[in-house]
Amino acid sequence: MTQALALAGRRRDAARAAASRWLRTLGPGGAVSAAVVAVVLVAALLPTLLAPGDPTAVVPAQAYTPPSPGAVLGTDASGRDVYTRVVHGAGQSLGVGAAATAIGLSLGVVLGFGAALGPRRLDAVLSRVVEVLFALPSLVLALLLVAVLGAGVGPSVLAVGLATAPGYARILRARAQAVAQSPYVRAARLEGVSAPVAFVRHVLPNTVWPLIAVATLGIGQAIVWVSALSYLGLGALPPSPEWGAMLNAGRLHITTAWWLTVAPGLAITVTAAALTFLGRRLSAVAPA
Amino acid sequence: MTVLRWLLGRLAAAALVAWVVATVVFFALRAAGGDPSEAILGGPGSQASEEAMARVRAEYALDEPLVVQYLLQLARTVTFQLGDSYARRRPVAELVGDQLGGTLALAALGLLLAWLLALAVATAAVRARGPVARRAVGLLRAGEVVASVMPHFWLGAVLIAVFAGGAGWLPATSSDNSLRSLLLPAITLAVPVAGFLGQVMRDGLEEAHTAPFATTARTRGASEAWVLWRHSLRHAALPAIALSGWAFGSLLSGAVVVETLFGRPGLGRLLVDATHSRDVPLVIGVVLVIALGYVAVMTVADVLERVVDPRLRERVEAAATPGGEVVA
Amino acid sequence: MSAALDVAGLTVSFPDVGQVLRGVDLRLEPGRCLAVVGESGAGKSVLARSVVGLAGEGGAPATVAAERFTVAGQDVTRADERRWRRLRGEQVGFVLQDALQSLDPLRTVGAEVGESLRLRGVGRPERRRRVLEALARAGLDEPATRAAQRSGELSGGMRQRALIASAIVSEPALLVADEPTTALDATVARGVLELLGRLRDTGTAVLLVTHDLGAVARLADDVVVLDGGRVVEAGRTDDVLGNPGHDVTRALLAAVPHGARRRPPLPASEPVLRATGLRRRYPLPGGGTASALDGVDLVVRRGEALGVVGESGSGKSTLARMLVAAERPDAGSVELAGEPWSELPERRRRPRRHLVRLVPQDPLGSFDPRWSAERVLRTALRVSGSSRTPVELLELVRLPASVLGRRPRSLSGGQRQRLAIARALAAEPSVLVLDEPVSALDVTVQAAILDLLVELQERTGTALVVISHDLAVIRQVCETVAVMHDGRIVERGPVERVWRDPTAPFTRALLEAAVTLP
Amino acid sequence: DTAGTSGEPVEGGTLVYATGDAEPTCLDPHVGGNYPQALISTQYLEPLVGRDAEGEIQPWLATDWQVSDDGLTWDLTLAEGITFTDGTPLDAEAVKVNIEHLQDPDTASSTGWLAVQKIAEVEPVDETHVRLHLSEPDSALLESLSMQWAAMQSPAGIARGMEENCAAPIGTGPFVVADWVPQQHVILERNEDYATPGPQAENDGAAHLERIEWRFLPDPATRWAALQSGEVHVIDNPEPEAITAAEAGGEITHIDAPRPGSVNRIELNSAQAPFDDVRVRQAFVYSADVDPGIETLYQGVATRSHSPLSSVEPMAYSDPSLFVTDLEEAERLLDEAGWSQVDDEGYRVRDGERLTVRIPVSTNQSVAAEQALFEQIQANTRRVGFEVVLTPLDLSAWYGALAAPEDGGENQYEAVSAPYTKVGPDVLRILYHSDSTVPAPSGYFANLSQVTDDELDALLDEAARSTDPERRAELYTEVQKRVLEGYYILPLYDQQNHFLTRGVTDVRTLGTVSTPTFVDARLTS
Ligand SMILES: Nc1ncnc2c1ncn2[C@@H]1O[C@H](COP(=O)(O)OP(=O)(O)OP(=O)(O)O)[C@@H](O)[C@H]1O
Ligand SMILES: Nc1ncnc2c1ncn2[C@@H]1O[C@H](COP(=O)(O)OP(=O)(O)OP(=O)(O)O)[C@@H](O)[C@H]1O
Ligand SMILES: [Mg+2]
Ligand SMILES: [Mg+2]
């Protein structure tokens, strides 16, 4: 019993030490960013915890209420509570960013690792593929995809994912090549470690770590791009409180009901900025 | 010899791009539904007669199997014959040619502004002395990140509301390529890109500014400004140049939004319209021009990088030679 | 005649770090050379930079105070940035410690060398003339070609000379040179020292910062010994080196590799590695090929300590890679314990890999940055199927167990080198190939590692192949030596014999270049 | 100072018009036939007849008309000495060419083609007299011919071929197409010889304005900002906010010009479940509760309608009592219709199928306020167990979703709001006659409620033939009653058509399709 307590205590201490070490490496800006991301994560996973109301509840009589104690961020054209909508939109917006990044990453991993570690000819082919993917700007891809698949979050996510894939592929290829030819991988090989084992032990972890940083950054970017698609009417389906859709709907009232743009606009920029900042910090502290 | 090979490589890339564009667009728009003959005969919702549609199908080979149609389209695209727009009944080359200038002007000014902004931020950051200035640099850094994630349409809307609707200083709409008319849309495009370039450039500048060669320049009596302009900036510019290719792509993506927002004529808007009306030849034309423009800019960036950094010229050749076989 | 440099009570401190220099007194006359020596971190570079008003360069801003501070006859105790700028480049030339990175890689050597002239508005033709002249004076062949090249196209020694040319181009009264020979091999270093000597002889005052006592002995008239930011000993070079008065000085002197290893050569045992007719060519950037190895035969016998010396680029590292089968030779072969080795496919070599170990030139790079020392050693032990523990390995290289939890990056250079050796020993190899095991270390640490190698060999009986450009290092550890030049072994034999009685002309040049202490 | 009220009207100058409607791909409204084409062609093409604010047909290019007793022969008299701007005379031959142009399949006309559908033959009697032979009586003929889509063009212009004619059609209007830079603007120059002012014009000669720059500015916020900053003089499709701001006084004038013909409504697809049951349609209507939404979203700019016809149609019939909000009744009706089960998410189900209403929304045609209203309907009908799925689609995909399955479309909708503009009550025939459920070759059909009611068909057929105005009105009232009582549609408000002007006077809209005309307009100093 006491032993268990002591053990738990030691774990707690260790956790605290680890946390403080993390805080130190993140720096003040990184810590603030991490906090922001944490709040957004809570909003995404447990929105009712932060905003118990219904984000789609319509009360036309209360339309366009400016921020007030009853509605901290005001209400929209249909009298829906903007704060509640922003909180409930976190899940979709963050999910959108994460899904797009996941798509981009998976494709990027295949292309990048294939190019870096496969035979020369494969590298040449994949590098061309990457170049061509680069040449199709994300919104162009998105327009096409939405034409094929219809509007909605799915196609937008897919489009942004596809558009970011070449970037990831290029980073991965460079990184994987550098690691694969690094002295420590050579050293391991000279110790008699086989190529696949060296890949799993060294190349993978050392390539993936900087990628986490880049991916963090990418999620923020993806959120922004998907929101841009909302402007062209290609984004999330109503009445979803996805931030880009909210921002776009509110944009028309920018002079009469400023809070309709400010709330989702800030949600997008602050979240994306926090993710970007965190990503940059992570890549800075990541062992190179 | 190597120049020739490099040139051939670029040409191959262009052909490859043409192929991919033709393939992607062709199948995407075919899968998107909507009968092409309808797009030709007055667009969606048209009530063209059966005979008219039959005639158009025959004329445009739309009654051939899809594979044959694809091959025909491919043959045209790869030889850069763009054909006529379905909906607008004008040669695609002409339509695209009309809009190209506007978009290029916008993207070029956007890129220029982004560079200037990034440069201003980065130089301010390395020249900051004293605690207050350093703190300001911290804010600047946060500003860069925020700028880099600004959605275009929001930023543009705010700019319009403030500068055009509110103050009336600049036109809200942008119809020609005069500086006055280009300024707001170009700023809208430039800010996010400047955020990125600024981060990269500042990192590079901070590193170069403390590098031994910068110190050596100081030991020769160089002032901070001299070190900045003659040494550090060139180093900091390298990653920024490399990023400019990407930035240009991002500007073209942004142009789709910004041209609609400011009512500017341009490729982005043309593309949106063409996609909506399933105007296959026009979409292919626009996407092709955008993609080739991107390849061209990448090429220019490549060359520019080599101009700024002579080390890269050798690296290409060195990379081309087989390295020593290491346990493999 | 006024002093080129006259400093009294110079104190430099940094925020958070505290005082780095504590009341330093110095005096340097024109036409003389004053050496500043001391262990790493003693404050030598800070002192050098203070002389041009750049004490805080590259880090936190420094606070500088002095009772008396004149440079080239000018009082600079209260000099502002503009006064300093006028002084720099004009009156004081400076050669920075990081010679290889001190020339802007994006600009031509000519532009770099001429920069201080350009800053002073010297016109183009005049500038060009003086740049070429300075390059020639610095001992660079074909000055016009060099001026058009960029630093990346020059070898290390050439870069160092170009840097010196840039410091002397405006004929300053005072030349400050921070570690001008550290990165260079012996023959090249000797050239640079001779150049500095000639400058001194023509009236320039030279402030030489170094930890290489050999260089001091060769060049300096006077010497100050710095320790913890204080001058602990000062005087004429002969006096200080010949009769050191302070422990620090004595320690520095003792650390310089000298003398031969006191152990008779082993009776001829059977060979573990036998290289025959090794050839390796590399393509050159501009086309053509360079021959890195050109018909090398070499035998490493069981339990033997074999040294390989040679200039930079003579093929030493290439040879090492061939021996451990990291790379395949173009021609010739290597046998391991009498069986084929280099020509086997990797799959068949793997079971015997544990017999041969390489300690690479750059130990830091050879560790996965994410792995702790413990993981490094544990993995090495598992790969070679050894039943020893990481702690035992650490004991072998005299490292405390506390190192286990640390990442390589947080270890000092000496500790890293030991860890690399410990990792190599995990497999209990028959041969240990060490590529430049001490070149990156400062003298005192270097001495400790060399001692360790000797001790290891005696204890474990592992054959050593020690690669170095420094003959003194080889002499201290090895019984036999092979001298390489242009990809060939030009001489081979017992160290003492070669030392005393070199046959190849190249060996003789190498020995002459190496400075010895009196 | 550019104040609209205080400034002095001046002659000449360039008026800048910024439209939010899509840029036409062809400036000839005979080709295709959508509202953007009507908007711009009003400036250079004119129809045979006009219509005043009271809905009375008035002479224009045709000064007189006579219909035979059997209703099958119409004799039109044309104004004398009229020429198109290319000098071609407007004579009986020209009318024939125009109508045949509309009927030519190669023209691919839709709206104009419907207008002249029943004209079997055009017989030029002499220079100024033309006789139309109909295949069946058409009481709506003049209304159809008053529309911009059937406006007269120079036969010589038409003869140039479609490509050229699309770029610059030639008419009799107060302006001439001078230049068209796609996506940027159309430049319209004054027709100096203008001689055919319509029924609503005061001017009897050339327009005051020298030139119109017709710009395409898709973003509503940007259009509004451009009007405020004085870059443009007239904008269309303003947001309700902008209209209320303009009404609050100041330099900006608001012109409200609801479109004729049909009202803006949600059509319920009665051809398939669940709306094949009138009880379910009624339940939907009873639970939609659109009044508060219309009030707040349109800020008083749009008035709730309870009629299938626009409020500008004299024959409009409305019955507010049918469109109450009664959730209990709605629930009862749904229970009765068998939708009595409720799933975990609170939606009603019947035989394991959810009570789902798919509404495809055209992003090109639906404004923000309307989309918000749909979202409110979604939230409101949810309370009684409807699941409304809103799908924003671009125009092609939207038509695809509506099109009949056998024509490659999908018929994937239970409800939809589709604009339809036609002058006169005959629009009811187009929208609710069972013939209109038969798709065109492209799959398009106008009767999106898919009403197939023999009695309704009979009423519509008779109304179309009846030349007696009173009988006609009676019949159309009956038609509207049937449509309303069958709950085939949920009427919302008139098809919104607003213009804001600044720095310009005397902008009027035509009594036909409510497009603005600038014959009388003058810039103010
Ligand atoms: N700009 C600076 N800011 C803070 N601390 C500094 C700065 N420059 C040097 N130091 C500290 O001053 C001390 C002396 O450094 P210095 O570079 O002079 O050593 P050194 O004798 O030249 O050593 P080495 O032989 O390794 O070059 C070190 O502890 C170093 O960390
Ligand atoms: N992978 C390679 N590719 C091309 N050239 C190489 C390669 N490795 C070595 N060389 C060339 O082969 C020659 C011998 O190089 P090596 O590294 O063996 O010399 P070294 O004696 O170890 O020199 P140092 O003392 O500078 O380490 C040099 O000219 C070098 O430039
Ligand atoms: Mg130093
Ligand atoms: Mg080497």
Side-chain angles (χ1 to χ4, degrees), chain C residues 45 97 178-179:
Chain C
S45 292
Q97 183 163 4
D178 192 355
E179 311 273 13

Side-chain angles (χ1 to χ4, degrees), chain A residues 179-231:
Chain A
V179 174
Q181 283 161 20
S182 71
Y184 57 87
V185 171
R186 290 186 194 192
R189 301 280 281 122
L190 289 181
E191 275 179 3
V193 173
S194 68
V197 173
F199 176 78
V200 171
R201 262 192 211 156
H202 299 284
V203 182
L204 212 51
N206 280 293
T207 319
V208 163
W209 177 250
L211 213 61
I212 289 171
V214 176
T216 318
L217 219 131
I219 294 176
Q221 282 304 306
I223 292 177
V224 175
W225 276 119
V226 173
S227 85
L229 289 176
S230 293
Y231 171 75

Side-chain angles (χ1 to χ4, degrees), chain D residues 203-267:
Chain D
N203 204 342
D204 52 6
H208 304 292
L209 295 168
E210 206 167 302
R211 183 184 290 118
I212 299 176
E213 183 184 343
W214 193 275
R215 295 183 50 186
F216 304 99
L217 256 189
D219 194 282
T222 311
R223 267 197 318 279
W224 171 232
L227 183 73
Q228 284 176 300
S229 68
E231 285 161 63
V232 304
H233 300 96
V234 184
I235 65 171
D236 55 28
N237 297 292
E239 289 292 309
E241 271 77 16
I243 297 173
T244 41
E247 302 241 284
E251 307 171 339
I252 297 173
T253 309
H254 170 212
I255 299 171
D256 185 4
R259 294 188 196 174
S262 171
V263 76
N264 196 333
R265 73 247 170 262
I266 295 179
E267 287 153 291

Side-chain angles (χ1 to χ4, degrees), chain D residues 34 42 175 187 238 245 298 326 464 503:
Chain D
N34 57 23
T42 299
F175 295 91
I187 298 293
Y298 286 92
D326 186 341

Side-chain angles (χ1 to χ4, degrees), chain D residues 69 108 202 235 248 289 404 426 485:
Chain D
D69 287 343
E202 285 171 6
I235 65 171
D289 194 19
D426 185 49
E485 281 162 10

